[in-house]
Amino acid sequence: MTRKPVVIVGGGLSGLSAAVELTSRNIPVVLLEQKPKLGGRAYSFLDAITGDVLDNGQHVLIAGYERTMAFLERIGTKHLLTIQDKPTLHFHHPTRGFCEFMLPKLLSPLHLIVGILSTNLFSFADKLRLLRAGFSIQFASNDPLLDEVTIEDWLKAVGQSEETNRSFWEPLAISIMNEHIAKASAKIFVRSLRHAFLCGWKNSSLAIPRVGLSELYVDDALKFIEQRGTTVQLNADVVEIVLLDNKVRAVKLRDNSEIECSAVILSVPHFRLPTILPTELGITLSTIGALPSTPIVSMHLWFDNDFMPHEFVGLIDRRLQWIFNKRKINREQGKGGHVSCVISGAEKFVEMTNDDLVKLAMGDLRTVYASVPEPLNAVVIREKRATLSCTPEAEKARPNHQTSIPNLFLAGDWTNTGLPATIEGAIISGERCAELAITHV
């Protein structure tokens, strides 16, 4: 008797990780993606003018993303990452200039203590404040009071100064959470910091992709699952989950065709849920679809010279938060310079015109590098719903992977993974749903 497949709705990273996990165990899978390509919000494309590979946004990992590393190892692309020998971040401060924050190869928490005391980013008084926050992270990650407060509230409670907030905590929070400290959940932030900084220095090392996001995450994942029998359908718009006796029997597509299944993993953005969920669940989960998202704006700029000596730099107290030298990171062979600029938590900027955004970027770049010429070419990319806005209220509303329908599961970085809306969270959610779905095959 032929087993009915597990149907995965959505071909982003959570859907791909679920498919890889299931097919590696010889479970039949049908992967349905509404768009003409896989990857969700992590994709790359070829720029028609320059021929360079552009990512829709710069995704930098840490080596402590264990499930992401395992996923890349399984599909055969982990070698396309370069992991820092020592965890190092370069910043540019408005008055202090270039500063470095590096963690030495010492046991935890000694590596963090020495790293804080050694950096030239802070005054001695602020270094002591940071150490106080570090001890709070180590011992307060399960504090129920964190459930109710923002990062800004928590920073005030642990005695941080305005300078530490703007020079360290805000850049760190916006990178991890895609949200500002005044809005983001302290609970999820503290948990992330504990994993990144207090589980050994190796966890804190950045893992830098040397290729586009599609080559890193998508292309070889597709080969992996198709070689093991997975059916992948693009431009497949699922409009209904068909139930029988409170179990999923099939999914219905917009062309009215149905695919019978043993289980369904919904791996779609949270705002798409209300259009797909059965009415039995739509009442209880309708608020998920209404939760706010946070945008990211990325700009690719090309110049006639490569003026940036660093691979990447965090900008303190500017509109741009990070700038990346794509010639160095992706080892591009093109002439001149290619810089990627990122604004996370970009509500104030996402509706600006392309020309105004490029002018903004140039203004910030020239506060770091004095001789930046006018760009030869520019590409602006807006992800208006890049991630769930991880506020304290949203954190409480994130649903578990198991629904009240036994063989219907929810995957995505917006689900209750215990992490912010990150690549690691997306992959964890897909793997968890795969484990749950196996029991119904």
Side-chain angles (χ1 to χ4, degrees), residues 91 121-122 130 151-152 154-155 160-184 189 193 314-322 343-349:
F91 294 100
L121 187 56
F122 309 106
L130 287 169
I151 298 172
E152 189 173 62
W154 171 73
L155 292 172
Q160 300 304 288
S161 68
E162 289 186 12
E163 178 60 24
T164 57
N165 284 358
R166 77 164 182 149
S167 295
F168 186 72
W169 296 114
E170 176 71 10
L172 198 60
I174 204 75
S175 301
I176 295 173
M177 307 284 288
N178 188 32
E179 191 56 273
H180 298 279
I181 60 174
K183 295 174 65 177
F189 182 61
L193 293 180
L315 305 191
I316 293 169
D317 210 18
R318 261 61 65 97
R319 283 79 53 93
L320 301 180
Q321 291 125 5
W322 292 92
I343 308 176
S344 299
E347 294 95 337
K348 295 180 180 179
F349 306 97

Side-chain angles (χ1 to χ4, degrees), residues 196-262:
F197 291 110
L198 292 171
C199 292
W201 65 267
K202 289 183 179 179
N203 269 26
S204 308
S205 292
L206 295 185
I208 303 166
R210 299 301 182 185
V211 295
L213 295 175
S214 294
E215 186 176 350
L216 182 65
Y217 292 107
V218 180
D219 299 343
D220 285 277
L222 177 60
K223 292 176 186 176
F224 183 97
I225 60 178
E226 286 189 327
Q227 288 171 356
R228 289 160 179 80
T230 291
T231 299
V232 178
Q233 294 185 31
L234 303 178
N235 301 303
D237 191 7
V238 173
V239 295
E240 185 181 347
I241 304 297
V242 182
L243 301 182
L244 179 65
D245 298 330
N246 198 43
K247 291 188 71 175
V248 178
R249 179 185 66 79
V251 297
K252 179 181 287 188
L253 278 66
R254 189 164 297 280
D255 63 4
N256 285 322
S257 63
E258 291 188 2
I259 300 174
E260 292 191 354
C261 55
S262 59

